[in-house]
Amino acid sequence: RGRGLQGCSRSFLHQASWNFERMQSLGFIYQLLPGLRRLHGGSPPAEVLQRHTEYFNTHPYMAPWIAGTVLRLEERRLAGEVSAIDAAAFRSMVMAPYAAMGDALFWGALRPLAAVVGLLLAAHGSVWAPLALLLLFNMPHLAFRCGGWLLGYTQELRSVELLQKLRLPDIAIWLKEGTVILLGGLCA
């Protein structure tokens, strides 16, 4: 439980340090570092750090899903267990699809919907409009950050199947359609 909360809290600094060569790799290793230190009983070996500071770029709210799974795969590798895929290959394989799902859901669907709901409430004179906007956007985003870390760690490779079952691209489309309907009502 403590690992999940620490991974969740560290995910807020995922984008604190970008570089053009490796994009979000420093934020990713920052999320992993406490778990890697625990696994290696101190400072992780240089090759482990090097492996996880390679190029990494995904949606910041989806990165904890990947980080939790990568930490669990590293734990299994260190225990001598054989996995279908190693941690670095998993990270490279899922970062682009997770980025696409996160961008469509959070930036393309949920943020505009939250803004329109806030505008509708403000147009009707509600003082709760800013709070509604913040809650509507931040509750799912926080659930993905914290829940994603825990599910990535506990479900490991099955977390990919779980993410597929959530049908995020479909949800993004439905939210976009709802936003258009609400905008029509706001304009009317």
Side-chain angles (χ1 to χ4, degrees):
R1 180 181 158 158
R3 273 176 274 175
L5 292 176
Q6 191 171 31
C8 174
S9 64
R10 283 182 164 243
S11 76
F12 285 97
L13 295 172
H14 178 79
Q15 296 187 87
S17 179
W18 282 68
N19 66 59
F20 289 111
E21 183 181 346
R22 297 180 183 203
M23 301 303 275
Q24 303 169 349
S25 65
L26 293 176
F28 187 73
I29 196 72
Y30 181 73
Q31 287 185 63
L32 288 177
L33 206 50
L36 292 174
R37 284 184 179 142
R38 182 187 50 80
L39 288 177
H40 294 281
S43 184
E47 72 269 0
V48 173
L49 295 175
Q50 179 64 36
R51 185 169 54 242
H52 295 299
T53 54
E54 293 298 318
Y55 176 85
F56 182 77
N57 190 29
T58 195
H59 191 280
Y61 303 164
M62 301 298 283
W65 286 75
I66 300 170
T69 303
V70 163
L71 185 61
R72 184 68 176 124
L73 290 170
E74 281 293 332
E75 191 175 280
R76 286 183 170 276
R77 185 191 63 77
L78 199 59
E81 297 177 31
V82 178
S83 181
I85 189 169
D86 76 322
F90 173 79
R91 184 190 69 239
S92 296
M93 181 179 68
V94 299
M95 68 180 169
Y98 281 28
M101 285 187 289
D103 286 349
L105 179 63
F106 292 104
W107 299 156
L110 193 58
R111 186 171 55 176
L113 177 65
V116 169
V117 168
L119 284 172
L120 275 169
L121 290 173
H124 286 92
S126 174
V127 296
W128 298 104
L131 183 62
L133 181 149
L134 290 172
L135 286 175
L136 186 58
F137 181 76
N138 285 314
M139 295 308 287
H141 132 248
L142 292 172
F144 266 77
R145 277 191 194 262
C146 299
W149 178 275
L150 290 170
L151 288 169
Y153 184 80
T154 59
Q155 298 296 308
E156 196 182 305
L157 296 176
R158 291 183 310 272
S159 68
V160 176
E161 293 173 24
L162 176 61
L163 207 50
Q164 275 184 313
K165 288 179 184 174
L166 291 176
R167 299 179 58 194
L168 297 182
D170 292 338
I171 292 172
I173 290 170
W174 299 331
L175 292 175
K176 289 175 186 179
E177 290 170 349
T179 301
V180 170
I181 291 168
L182 290 175
L183 271 173
L186 181 64
C187 291

